[in-house]
Amino acid sequence: MERETYSLNINKSSESYYNDISNFTCEVLNEGAIFYKTPVEMYREYHIKSNLENIPYDKENILEFLLLGVLWKGYSSSATNIKHIRNRTLIYLHKFRRKFKNIKPLIDFFRGIMLTSYLQNSKNKELLELEPDMKNFKKLLRWLEASGEFNFEVKRLKNWFCFLSEISYEESSEIIQKAITWSAWFEDHSKKAIGKYTVNVEKYLKESYPKHYWHENVIFCGRKRVEYHLNMLGGEIMNSVYRQGFINTDDKVIVLPACMSMSYKSSCKIKKTDDGNYCSGCNPKCMVNSITQLGKENSFKVIVVPHQSSLSNSDKGTGILKENIGVVGVACVLNLISGGWMLKERNIYAQCVLLDYCGCKRHWHKEGIPTCINIEQLKKILNIKY
Ligand code: SF4
């Protein structure tokens, strides 16, 4: 069956994906270490001198630098005509939708209209990518913040903005330009290395995506192919840098998305509790059930969440997100970077396993199709040897 955007199962198994992404990540990190060492090291020195909390690992800094270039190329034309009042309104609406769940549909209705008109505006005027300078960096950050889709990415980029504000105008512009140049290299090379897993994204953007116009998910569903590749890289980098922290935790929890259930919202007998939703095992063919059984045999909890935002909305230190637990987050590719950084901000060391394809009704599929993961990859992450 043809998948909407990405699929790791090109040879009926996602085995080869995990080899390919591992090799490609080495290639990107080598390229970064050779050609982009100076800005990343300058940034790290600034970070250490300024006593900023939670100094990221150097591989994460490389990812952040690349992220700056990718988002600049992808969104700076939308940020060109950003208006202060519309921008603030979008930010407040995003905050309110998380706080006032009972009026969320109404808020989403307005957000959908505002976000789409921004996108349409930039398309109609054929606005060009912004010049790489600090004034435009600020505009880009404001646009990303207003979109509500890049909360944790924006936090990282704001630290880069502070660092670049401390150096000369020429130097900062040169560093931003380097990030943009590197993102062009990344776009090209990622297509060759892992593009076979995302061949449908461009077709999807052309044919199916327009139906998301005027909806709240217009930005999320319209993410470019290069962002899929960047998230794949991000997931691999985070699995490597948070690995030891994850291993050192006593308690481990697997967080599964509801779209993996065989019959979510119809006959699924999930048990809802304040600590999360637990599978009751009603369907022997359901993958959530199999993973829950694996959890029982190997002493880890398995919970099901409707969406990643259900995790980020829960208060720090309460519910399922207690500090110092190890989390294996199962997510679709576009949530990998934000999900990993959201958990890290809560002192939770996460490992991720990608859904082999996406299929939830809310974003990707008319009826919704049950999604799945590579169980061998999950076992590898949990050190289960059978
Ligand atoms: S086995 Fe679990 S997740 Fe699957 S349908 Fe039943 S209760 Fe829902």
Side-chain angles (χ1 to χ4, degrees):
M1 183 197 279
E2 191 169 276
R3 303 298 180 196
E4 277 286 48
T5 51
Y6 78 96
S7 173
L8 309 186
N9 288 331
I10 53 171
N11 297 321
K12 297 203 172 140
S13 147
S14 45
E15 201 67 35
S16 64
Y17 166 76
Y18 288 97
N19 283 330
D20 290 342
I21 189 63
S22 163
N23 293 337
F24 180 57
T25 302
C26 291
E27 187 187 344
V28 175
L29 292 175
N30 284 340
E31 179 81 7
I34 296 169
F35 296 105
Y36 302 99
K37 198 174 168 199
T38 314
V40 173
E41 278 187 352
M42 282 167 72
Y43 173 67
R44 282 189 74 73
E45 266 171 40
Y46 159 81
H47 218 294
I48 294 163
K49 257 194 241 149
S50 317
N51 283 327
L52 292 177
E53 281 179 10
N54 297 327
I55 298 174
Y57 295 88
D58 49 358
K59 287 182 191 170
E60 281 183 277
N61 292 143
I62 292 180
L63 176 66
E64 291 164 3
F65 188 56
L66 192 50
L67 175 79
L68 167 60
V70 169
L71 295 184
W72 196 289
K73 272 179 80 66
Y75 296 99
S76 71
S77 59
S78 304
T80 312
N81 58 348
I82 195 153
K83 298 280 180 303
H84 185 66
I85 294 183
R86 266 210 288 175
N87 192 58
R88 293 299 323 158
T89 311
L90 274 167
I91 291 173
Y92 280 121
L93 286 177
H94 181 61
K95 281 184 185 156
F96 288 158
R97 82 186 284 273
R98 297 172 66 175
K99 213 166 166 184
F100 305 110
K101 295 215 169 80
N102 46 345
I103 53 164
K104 203 168 143 209
L106 184 68
I107 295 176
D108 283 350
F109 173 75
F110 287 114
R111 284 186 78 239
I113 293 175
M114 290 180 75
L115 288 168
T116 309
S117 67
Y118 252 131
L119 290 179
Q120 303 282 28
N121 243 338
S122 57
K123 260 193 206 150
N124 294 344
K125 292 184 185 162
E126 294 197 337
L127 298 170
L128 297 173
E129 200 179 297
L130 289 172
E131 283 294 305
D133 64 33
M134 291 304 283
K135 204 168 116 232
N136 289 335
F137 192 178
K138 197 171 191 173
K139 277 189 182 172
L140 177 67
L141 285 174
R142 280 167 52 199
W143 154 249
L144 294 172
E145 202 171 8
S147 77
E149 293 295 348
F150 300 93
N151 298 340
F152 295 91
E153 289 89 336
V154 166
K155 282 186 183 175
R156 301 279 175 136
L157 291 184
K158 276 186 175 170
N159 287 339
W160 277 84
F161 181 84
C162 294
F163 151 63
L164 293 172
S165 309
E166 303 266 311
I167 58 179
S168 72
Y169 177 86
E170 288 73 23
E171 263 186 310
S172 60
S173 300
E174 199 186 312
I175 288 178
I176 297 170
Q177 181 55 59
K178 276 191 174 166
I180 299 168
T181 307
W182 195 25
S183 74
W185 175 93
F186 176 78
E187 187 163 4
D188 186 40
H189 282 68
S190 64
K191 246 187 217 171
K192 287 175 199 147
I194 49 174
K196 57 187 166 203
Y197 303 105
T198 58
V199 276
N200 286 338
V201 175
E202 275 145 16
K203 182 169 168 249
Y204 164 82
L205 289 175
K206 215 157 118 203
E207 293 171 11
S208 309
Y209 171 62
K211 68 175 181 266
H212 292 281
Y213 288 167
W214 314 110
H215 292 272
E216 170 274 332
N217 56 19
V218 66
I219 304 288
F220 182 76
C221 294
R223 309 278 289 271
K224 326 271 178 306
R225 193 171 172 193
V226 63
E227 293 178 76
Y228 285 72
H229 298 162
L230 188 73
N231 271 276
M232 288 171 169
L233 174 83
E236 191 68 12
I237 288 181
M238 288 189 219
N239 275 2
S240 139
V241 296
Y242 303 154
R243 182 73 190 153
Q244 199 50 50
F246 173 81
I247 288 172
N248 293 345
T249 54
D250 293 330
D251 294 324
K252 314 247 185 309
V253 176
I254 301 189
V255 181
L256 301 179
C259 61
M260 283 182 74
S261 154
M262 277 299 267
S263 40
Y264 197 71
K265 286 194 178 160
S266 52
S267 54
C268 174
K269 305 267 186 313
I270 205 117
K271 285 182 276 186
K272 296 188 176 173
T273 75
D274 290 344
D275 264 359
N277 302 337
Y278 295 89
C279 171
S280 63
C282 72
N283 186 337
K285 289 188 184 148
C286 180
M287 194 176 249
V288 177
N289 189 2
S290 317
I291 298 172
T292 303
Q293 295 311 317
L294 193 71
K296 284 183 185 153
E297 288 157 23
N298 292 279
S299 315
F300 54 79
K301 263 191 198 166
V302 179
I303 57 161
V304 182
V305 292
H307 190 255
Q308 185 189 302
S309 58
S310 337
L311 283 181
S312 50
N313 288 349
S314 66
D315 291 331
K316 220 172 182 174
T318 63
I320 40 183
L321 280 189
K322 296 193 176 65
E323 283 194 9
N324 300 321
I325 58 164
V327 167
V328 181
V330 173
C332 82
V333 66
L334 291 174
N335 287 316
L336 295 182
I337 293 182
S338 57
W341 282 343
M342 180 267 291
L343 291 169
K344 185 66 192 11
E345 201 176 86
R346 291 160 182 255
N347 282 332
I348 292 171
Y349 287 93
Q351 298 284 283
C352 67
V353 180
L354 272 81
L355 289 172
D356 281 357
Y357 49 85
C358 52
C360 77
K361 206 171 167 180
R362 184 173 168 210
H363 294 117
W364 307 110
H365 201 272
K366 215 161 49 183
E367 283 93 36
I369 40 167
T371 54
C372 66
I373 58 167
N374 184 319
I375 293 284
E376 291 312 309
Q377 180 65 15
L378 178 69
K379 286 183 181 172
K380 198 170 148 196
I381 280 178
L382 290 160
N383 281 334
I384 298 172
K385 303 226 165 29
Y386 62 88

